[in-house]
Amino acid sequence: KKLILPADIVVAADPKSGASAKTVDADQMPADQMGLDVGPKTIDLFKAELLKAKTVLWNGPMGLFEEKPFDIGTNKVAEILSTLSATTVIGGGDSASAIDKAGLSHKVSHVSTGGGASLEFLEGPALPGIEIFSRDIKNMVSGA
């Protein structure tokens, strides 16, 4: 029940200008820059919490992981998750792509491209596809 926000952010004026990227404290983000990754302080914060976790649901990369140097935060989180003894579930197309691109999808518990649907399922409302599947399973078990 803890929300950990980034302490520092990697910024640049343009995602294609990786050479001009710099790390700033989260409360010092320049108005003319875009936040494109988390910084090293944030990675350390996330790591400290992840090492204590028994279950991790990762939904969404840390930044613009498709472009260097903005892939560092996402790759570091993927590496951390791959070393945990916790149950690690990667949800969402971008997260699935990131963990696969890092070559670590085989070191986590489960990878799903269903990001939004996974989060909605965890929220608790009935989902039509799950209801039908559950009903059909119950009918098969009961012989109906």
Side-chain angles (χ1 to χ4, degrees), residues 1-7 38 41-50 52:
K1 300 194 181 190
K2 186 188 284 189
L3 178 62
I4 302 165
L5 299 174
V38 295
K41 291 181 203 173
T42 301
I43 293 166
D44 288 344
L45 287 171
F46 290 172
K47 182 177 183 177
E49 289 300 317
L50 290 169
K52 297 185 262 182

Side-chain angles (χ1 to χ4, degrees), residues 87-101:
T87 300
T88 48
V89 179
I90 313 306
D94 286 339
S95 300
S97 176
I99 196 97
D100 188 52
K101 185 177 175 185

Side-chain angles (χ1 to χ4, degrees), residues 4 42-58 62 73-74 76-88:
I4 302 165
T42 301
I43 293 166
D44 288 344
L45 287 171
F46 290 172
K47 182 177 183 177
E49 289 300 317
L50 290 169
L51 291 174
K52 297 185 262 182
K54 293 181 182 169
T55 304
V56 177
L57 172 61
W58 181 24
M62 301 298 109
T74 297
K76 290 288 187 185
V77 168
E79 288 171 18
I80 294 163
L81 294 178
S82 75
T83 66
L84 299 179
S85 59
T87 300
T88 48

Side-chain angles (χ1 to χ4, degrees), residues 2-136:
K2 186 188 284 189
L3 178 62
I4 302 165
L5 299 174
D8 56 346
I9 302 169
V10 179
V11 300
D14 180 335
K16 300 295 182 193
S17 64
S20 68
K22 64 181 180 179
T23 303
V24 299
D25 286 342
D27 62 352
Q28 300 294 316
M29 188 166 155
D32 64 338
Q33 305 280 299
M34 290 186 274
L36 297 165
D37 197 5
V38 295
K41 291 181 203 173
T42 301
I43 293 166
D44 288 344
L45 287 171
F46 290 172
K47 182 177 183 177
E49 289 300 317
L50 290 169
L51 291 174
K52 297 185 262 182
K54 293 181 182 169
T55 304
V56 177
L57 172 61
W58 181 24
N59 188 296
M62 301 298 109
L64 185 65
F65 73 96
E66 303 91 344
E67 299 284 337
K68 291 184 182 286
F70 311 114
D71 59 340
I72 294 171
T74 297
N75 287 336
K76 290 288 187 185
V77 168
E79 288 171 18
I80 294 163
L81 294 178
S82 75
T83 66
L84 299 179
S85 59
T87 300
T88 48
V89 179
I90 313 306
D94 286 339
S95 300
S97 176
I99 196 97
D100 188 52
K101 185 177 175 185
L104 298 169
S105 57
H106 66 287
K107 293 192 173 193
V108 296
S109 305
H110 181 72
V111 178
S112 169
T113 57
S118 297
L119 291 177
E120 191 172 341
F121 174 72
L122 292 172
E123 288 176 0
L127 300 176
I130 301 293
E131 279 187 359
I132 290 169
F133 181 72
S134 296
R135 184 193 66 217
D136 289 349

